[in-house]
Amino acid sequence: MSPLLKEIRHNPLLWLLAFVPVVFAAAKLRPDAHTLLFVLSVLAIVPLATLLSHATESVAAKTGDAAGGLLNATLGNLTELVIALTALRAGEYMLVKASIAGAIVTNTLFMLGASFLLGGLKHHVQEFNRVSARMQAGLLFLATVALLIPSAVTTADSATQVAFTQQLSVGLAVLLIVAYALGMLFSLKTHRELFASAEHADEGEAPWPIGLALATLAGVTVLVALVSEIFVESVQQAAETFGMTPAFVGFIVVALVGGAAEMASAFSGARKNRLDLSVGIALGSASQIALFVAPVLVLLSYVIGPAPMSLQLWPGAVVMMLIATLTAALVTNNGRSAWFVGVLVLMVYLVFAMTLYLLPPRVH
Amino acid sequence: MSPLLKEIRHNPLLWLLAFVPVVFAAAKLRPDAHTLLFVLSVLAIVPLATLLSHATESVAAKTGDAAGGLLNATLGNLTELVIALTALRAGEYMLVKASIAGAIVTNTLFMLGASFLLGGLKHHVQEFNRVSARMQAGLLFLATVALLIPSAVTTADSATQVAFTQQLSVGLAVLLIVAYALGMLFSLKTHRELFASAEHADEGEAPWPIGLALATLAGVTVLVALVSEIFVESVQQAAETFGMTPAFVGFIVVALVGGAAEMASAFSGARKNRLDLSVGIALGSASQIALFVAPVLVLLSYVIGPAPMSLQLWPGAVVMMLIATLTAALVTNNGRSAWFVGVLVLMVYLVFAMTLYLLPPRVH
Amino acid sequence: MSPLLKEIRHNPLLWLLAFVPVVFAAAKLRPDAHTLLFVLSVLAIVPLATLLSHATESVAAKTGDAAGGLLNATLGNLTELVIALTALRAGEYMLVKASIAGAIVTNTLFMLGASFLLGGLKHHVQEFNRVSARMQAGLLFLATVALLIPSAVTTADSATQVAFTQQLSVGLAVLLIVAYALGMLFSLKTHRELFASAEHADEGEAPWPIGLALATLAGVTVLVALVSEIFVESVQQAAETFGMTPAFVGFIVVALVGGAAEMASAFSGARKNRLDLSVGIALGSASQIALFVAPVLVLLSYVIGPAPMSLQLWPGAVVMMLIATLTAALVTNNGRSAWFVGVLVLMVYLVFAMTLYLLPPRVH
């Protein structure tokens, strides 16, 4: 336990952990104070995310960056999965779909771009393993194609079309899950050596013991999930108070807070010149949401939802996903980065965010 | 003759050659037994395709892989040309267009993906000449742009639009043929050395004498063409018996059987670690259909068709061609391959095949 | 002055400078002879462009190719800026937008493609600095995304939509200008060393003294701007005499003549095996129009125009810009070129030019 307490004592950010019990108490005592709950839940998620980042790095130090990135993406996306499952049970399929598309776009553009920028401000030119980045970009491309095709071949909204879209969605969901599983077999087993890191920076901190790291990972993930639920319940109304459109909330706000844990890890990796870790988290997380979380939700909608959910998205969301995937493929192509690459990627994200912020509500 | 007979004696697959006379007899005696003729013609095409593959490899062994690939693509696409000419003469322009788009997508995704997968299951990492792959991908990109633009700039179906599309199609057809001819000049003459193979695997079998190889190539191609005609006549009705949509038949079934000869060569090359041959056949065949077969059909429609045929395709087909071209460009970019790259490419193909299989008939 | 006079004496093309006073006199005496003024203004622009090219190369020889390319693009685009400002003041927003999109497409495809072809006909394989090409392609990609998104998310033409598009255009304009400024900071200051040329050909001619070169640059640019105005006033009616559609004139003719100065520099660089200069001019000029000229015009429309101008383009123009950007990204990806690469890029341009030439007027 002592490395954990020592960490908390030395890192002022972790003192925000005090807000975790506060947000639970507030949710119990004043369940309708949405703006208060929104602020408190964000304040509680930040230190939890920081703690998660340290624990993941400790595990990653033992397992290599690619496997560490995968591990981090898996645990980090529990937040998104919990959020989406809550909305699914309530039948709010528009919110589920917006948060899925938003998480993919935010991870691909904001997390990757900010990692490049933060790393680039400290290091002149950074290198990373492009084999790993290419595989994740390839998986993302496949997922984008699978989400694009139902919209591309159908236009009308007749009963035949709905039945066709529903059948197709189940088939595509199974395909995506199979592709995701084969991708893990490839990167963790048959071609593991290709995914080794490009180079390792020297590490200042001693990693935690593996047992403590794993226990912290598990415990903090549960806390993040619980706080996230309070966040989701409050965000929609709090956002309206701040004058944001529903499209902006679903795509940008939920995705940014939902991915806070992974972002802390990715940005810290970039500053430490371990860009493999950052790229692995950003693209790995995006492809996991696209190829695992989204299809699982489609299949689960038959069990726990009020009606089946399809993979058909709002056309604007498909265009944004396609552009995000293309951007990721172009910038990770040569395995090198500098600060301006990060600026370019963030600018694409800003174009999307600005569009969604100004979008008149009915269009969405 | 003796190497040919020896080959037939040792390869059980070639014993299926017995079905060649059977299918001709059946077509004469029972011209309306569509399902029987469909099965028999597929059984006859398979050994002919195998024989073609051996003969082509013998010629390729003398001329280098790139020229061998081009030769193979030229002869292999005779099948597609014969099929399309038959349909053109009958005025079935929807089938002509579907089979062209389907052949391009199937060669680019299925043939390339399966070559990567089959080769990758035997060899850990495979290398190929990316200069050649890039040129074919560039030609395919050009053809896709030419097919996309008429759909992108016009929407209405007025008489002015039809005249415009028709004029534009003739112009684009001439452009594509010129580009194809210049591409051959480049790869076979001025920059021949760039298209040499990355590496050569040792060859187990002694190649046939060039005379026998060329004679077999010619004779078997004629037989493939004749059997293909029986196949085309029977496939539409046989497919309905099996419950397939017309879109699926035109795009997938015709393209798979029509390309069987080239696929046998491509897959055999991939297994023997001569991935240059496989990539050359797959992309070379796709670009030959897009830049030579399709424009020739447009120009010939003025001579032998009941009315002029345009290059305007169903929008869904254009999207699929564009995605197929982008996929080919992305995966052949670095000249290396492993089994998972093949899985990714095949998955994109499966997304298309599944969509077309489930597509309600009227949408197409 | 003597190197300038010596240059004029030895280069017969520069004798066309005699047409500069002639065109000014003709515009004064016969302001309605549009076809005559069109021919005279083109004859006057060609030698001015040649002179500009020599002066720029002299400056570039002192400052390095990347900075020289940027300098050239900045001065060369004064022509486009003057043309667009004239049309903006007159409220002809369709012409402003068509000439912006046309200049981007023409620089990206025609100038780049013809440079590759002209250089490739003289040199077997040419190399260029791909870091620089990638940055320009990245900036162009960002600009294309910014121009694509307003069209992708809105369809209706209600008052709400118009207000949304207008607000979004101002926001996007500011974003693009910031990205352009950061790009200059990156290439000229923080990562200057990455933009050094791949190799230098030996130079036959002694460069001019820097003072003369700068004075020539400034004076000739002013003359080009003045002649361009006469050209713009006459081109629309002269084009109708030659049977061209307005879409073709805005996209192709204005862009080709407006970019003549830069083209002379780019082509001359390619022939001298200084492809860095050519690629820098072509892509640098395209990205400067997209990220600087276009947003400045949107912001200026609030000051000098009769009404605010948005960034929303005709969908066909957006598709062409997107394809042009993708083409540039694909062909500059590996930093090598041969004549056929130029043919492919020019063919894509020909597809666009042919489409616009045949396009029925009302569609545009």
Side-chain angles (χ1 to χ4, degrees), chain B residues 134-135 138-139 141-142 145-146 148-149 152-153 160-161 164 167-168 171-172 175 178-179 182-183 185-186 190-191 193 333, chain C residues 124-125 314 316 319-320 323 326-327 330 333-334 336 338-340 343-344 347-348 350-352 354-355 358-360 362-363:
Chain B
R134 267 185 187 161
M135 194 190 86
L139 283 169
F141 181 77
L142 172 62
V145 169
L148 172 124
I149 283 296
V153 296
T160 326
Q161 291 299 313
F164 159 67
Q167 270 187 302
L168 186 58
L172 294 176
L175 269 191
V178 171
L182 289 172
L185 179 69
F186 182 71
T190 72
H191 286 64
E193 80 287 354
N333 191 38
Chain C
H124 192 68
V125 170
W314 172 56
V319 171
M320 287 182 186
I323 290 171
L326 269 181
T327 307
L330 287 174
N333 190 37
N334 66 341
R336 297 177 72 191
W339 68 265
F340 188 65
V343 168
L344 273 181
M347 283 282 174
V348 175
L350 276 177
V351 169
F352 293 171
M354 190 181 278
T355 306
L358 296 172
L359 200 64
R362 236 167 319 159
V363 174

Side-chain angles (χ1 to χ4, degrees), chain B residues 33 56 68 70 109 167 178 189 211-212 230 241 261 264 305 321 331 341-342 345:
Chain B
T56 310
L70 183 67
L109 295 179
Q167 270 187 302
V178 171
K189 187 129 187 173
L212 173 64
I230 299 170
T241 316
M321 277 188 57
V331 299
V341 180
V345 177

Side-chain angles (χ1 to χ4, degrees), chain A residues 259-302:
Chain A
E262 296 139 290
M263 283 175 203
S265 304
F267 298 162
S268 148
R271 299 290 292 173
K272 289 179 187 157
N273 208 13
R274 295 180 66 188
L275 213 53
D276 282 316
L277 192 65
S278 312
V279 175
I281 294 171
L283 297 188
S285 177
S287 66
Q288 209 217 13
I289 290 169
L291 286 103
F292 185 72
V293 174
V296 160
L297 289 168
V298 168
L299 298 179
L300 279 181
S301 73
Y302 283 84

Side-chain angles (χ1 to χ4, degrees), chain C residues 21-112:
Chain C
V22 172
V23 72
F24 289 131
K28 205 83 189 166
L29 298 171
R30 300 195 41 200
D32 294 326
H34 297 297
T35 311
L36 176 75
L37 287 176
F38 172 76
V39 173
L40 285 177
S41 58
V42 170
L43 284 174
I45 284 176
V46 169
L48 288 172
T50 311
L51 213 53
L52 204 55
S53 139
H54 285 260
T56 310
E57 275 173 33
S58 292
V59 181
K62 302 244 148 94
T63 55
D65 283 356
L70 183 68
L71 185 75
N72 200 10
T74 312
L75 294 177
N77 287 330
L78 270 180
T79 320
E80 279 89 347
L81 191 57
V82 168
I83 295 173
L85 279 174
T86 315
L88 188 70
R89 236 178 293 135
E92 291 192 40
Y93 291 173
M94 284 308 287
L95 182 66
V96 177
K97 289 179 180 181
S99 74
I100 288 172
I104 294 169
V105 169
T106 298
N107 288 349
T108 311
L109 295 179
F110 181 77
M111 206 191 292
L112 189 68

Side-chain angles (χ1 to χ4, degrees), chain B residues 285-309:
Chain B
S285 177
S287 66
Q288 209 216 14
I289 291 169
L291 284 103
F292 185 72
V293 175
V296 160
L297 289 168
V298 168
L299 299 179
L300 279 181
S301 73
Y302 284 83
V303 184
I304 65 167
M309 187 179 83

